[in-house]
Amino acid sequence: MSDHTEAATAAPYDALLLLSFGGPEGTDDVVPFLENVTRGRGIPRERLKEVGQHYFLFGGVSPINAQNRELLQALRKDFAEHGLDLPVYWGNRNWAPYLTDTLREMAGDGRRRVLVLATSAYASYSGCRQYRENLADSLAALEAEALPVPRVDKLRHYFNHPGFVRPMVDGVLAALAELPEEVRAGAHLAFTTHSIPTAAADTSGPADAHTRDGSGGAYVAQHLDAAQVIADAVREATGADRPWKLVYQSRSGAPHIPWLEPDICDHLEELHASGAAAAVMVPIGFVSDHMEVRYDLDTEATAKAAELGLPVARSATVGADPRFAAAVRELVLERAAAERGLTPERCALGRLGASHDVCPVGCCPARSPRPAAAGAE
């Protein structure tokens, strides 16, 4: 996309909101944070203390907030360098800065047309619809306070945007280089993402992408498509056609409810039993190296690999890579142009093409009906 002045306008939008999950920044924050995450589920405080052990191992500090601050800086730097005059705000669903507080600030600053970048690249209830529900709740809070309520739109899913995919390709190549030379050629790729209930996966994405057989709907299809693109690029760069598989991590639900499988640790056991020389864990489902990457992969899965004697390396997430910041700028300009009635170029790799701008009716439906912003319902 051209960088000349006309192309660099975000009109009709007057702000970008970075919307993320949030995380504790000290030991005293951990249980209150988990109470926010699990509100309405009736989970006892003592159980939350047990769940919080992952955070306590890291001093109660989730890396996600620091990483979002880095991404904010990268976005503002890229926007400024390319003449895009668009302020960037940051709000979280579950910890400070809270989404409602940020929207209140934006309303006070006179922002009336807001684009939202969610730190989740794929279609699912927890990765899209729930963010939209939180937006609706916060906008309702502003309305109740008689504050101006901005119109809010959400950027499309970016799992297959070149600026998201190419940094991950480089991450895999760097991780392969970390492996001992004698096992490098035989390394498998394990693409990892957050496990979700199979019922939620099957109803992810628009209604025409829903499945009934546990195959995972748009959530699984999008991950598989991105993984194939990355695996193909790694093959082209190394000359080796490496076996790969999409696997899952961070399951947190009741044992009797079916979730997407196999788990990364189970997969590492399978690789070892099959005689695989090594593995690279590729956290394709995560934008940054937050707690579920640091603990579930860098701590738990790495310990499992050491127990098995299987050499492993973990590739980097996209984080604040300048190419990702540039991708966000392109997505902003693309959506703004579409809102002005133009037909912009829509960058996407793989076979699925660019995602929809507006979530249609029935997209990633909620477990129980709740209002959701930035969509057709």
Side-chain angles (χ1 to χ4, degrees):
M1 187 172 288
S2 172
D3 292 328
H4 61 75
T5 304
E6 182 181 355
T9 178
Y13 297 104
D14 54 19
L16 176 70
L17 169 62
L18 173 63
L19 177 55
S20 193
F21 192 81
E25 299 199 80
T27 54
D28 292 341
D29 296 345
V30 173
V31 173
F33 162 73
L34 292 173
E35 287 175 334
N36 288 341
V37 174
T38 61
R39 180 167 286 116
R41 300 184 205 170
I43 299 177
R45 190 175 179 86
E46 290 306 310
R47 174 57 182 152
L48 294 179
K49 289 180 181 179
E50 295 175 17
V51 174
Q53 290 305 312
H54 296 178
Y55 291 97
F56 293 129
L57 288 174
F58 294 85
V61 179
S62 168
I64 192 170
N65 283 347
Q67 290 162 359
N68 279 324
R69 292 184 186 104
E70 292 176 7
L71 179 56
L72 275 175
Q73 292 178 354
L75 291 172
R76 288 166 176 161
K77 181 175 184 290
D78 179 90
F79 287 8
E81 289 176 348
H82 292 85
L84 180 59
D85 183 16
L86 190 71
V88 186
Y89 295 75
W90 169 36
N92 290 325
R93 290 170 48 195
N94 299 297
W95 202 248
Y98 286 104
L99 171 59
T100 302
D101 293 338
T102 300
L103 283 171
R104 192 179 288 118
E105 176 190 0
M106 297 175 80
D109 289 347
R111 311 304 175 193
R112 298 294 179 264
R113 287 291 303 271
V114 177
L115 262 177
V116 176
L117 167 67
T119 53
S120 178
Y122 300 86
S124 70
Y125 172 76
S126 57
C128 183
R129 174 82 187 206
Q130 195 169 16
Y131 281 84
R132 294 175 48 225
E133 290 175 352
N134 293 148
L135 281 165
D137 291 343
S138 294
L139 293 172
L142 265 61
E143 185 176 16
E145 297 170 13
L147 293 174
V149 179
R151 172 176 163 177
V152 173
D153 293 327
K154 182 177 174 290
L155 289 174
R156 66 176 171 91
H157 301 303
Y158 47 84
F159 66 92
N160 57 3
H161 193 287
F164 184 70
V165 172
R166 286 171 182 154
M168 286 194 286
V169 173
D170 290 347
V172 174
L173 295 175
L176 285 167
E178 294 174 12
L179 291 170
E181 186 174 357
E182 63 271 19
V183 300
R184 195 175 300 153
H188 290 229
L189 305 181
F191 292 96
T192 77
T193 191
H194 206 299
S195 184
I196 61 175
T198 55
D202 279 352
T203 56
S204 59
D208 61 5
H210 293 179
T211 53
R212 297 177 179 272
D213 57 0
S215 57
Y219 184 73
V220 171
Q222 290 171 0
H223 280 85
L224 288 173
D225 200 40
Q228 184 67 66
V229 171
I230 295 169
D232 289 347
V234 170
R235 182 188 66 245
E236 292 173 11
T238 64
D241 191 7
R242 302 175 187 280
W244 65 267
K245 189 169 185 175
L246 177 64
V247 300
Y248 303 92
Q249 61 174 91
S250 313
R251 173 179 174 146
S252 58
H256 67 281
I257 297 175
W259 283 53
L260 294 173
E261 296 177 335
D263 178 78
I264 176 62
C265 290
D266 294 338
H267 181 60
L268 293 177
E269 290 183 343
E270 293 169 3
L271 288 180
H272 176 66
S274 70
V280 171
M281 299 181 292
V282 188
I284 189 176
F286 303 90
V287 173
S288 64
D289 289 3
H290 56 70
M291 186 58 71
E292 287 168 321
V293 175
R294 296 277 178 89
Y295 181 81
D296 295 341
L297 295 184
D298 294 353
T299 305
E300 191 173 52
T302 299
K304 169 59 72 173
E307 173 191 320
L308 296 169
L310 179 70
V312 296
R314 198 266 290 172
S315 66
T317 51
V318 173
D321 189 291
R323 289 169 292 182
F324 182 47
V328 173
R329 169 173 44 84
E330 291 176 6
L331 289 167
V332 166
L333 296 177
E334 169 198 299
R335 181 61 183 275
E339 288 293 308
R340 297 195 304 272
L342 303 177
T343 307
E345 178 184 357
R346 296 166 61 83
C347 293
L349 302 175
R351 64 179 181 82
L352 294 181
S355 182
H356 50 261
D357 280 338
V358 178
C359 293
V361 174
C363 194
C364 301
R367 290 180 287 271
S368 57
R370 284 184 57 190
E377 62 173 339

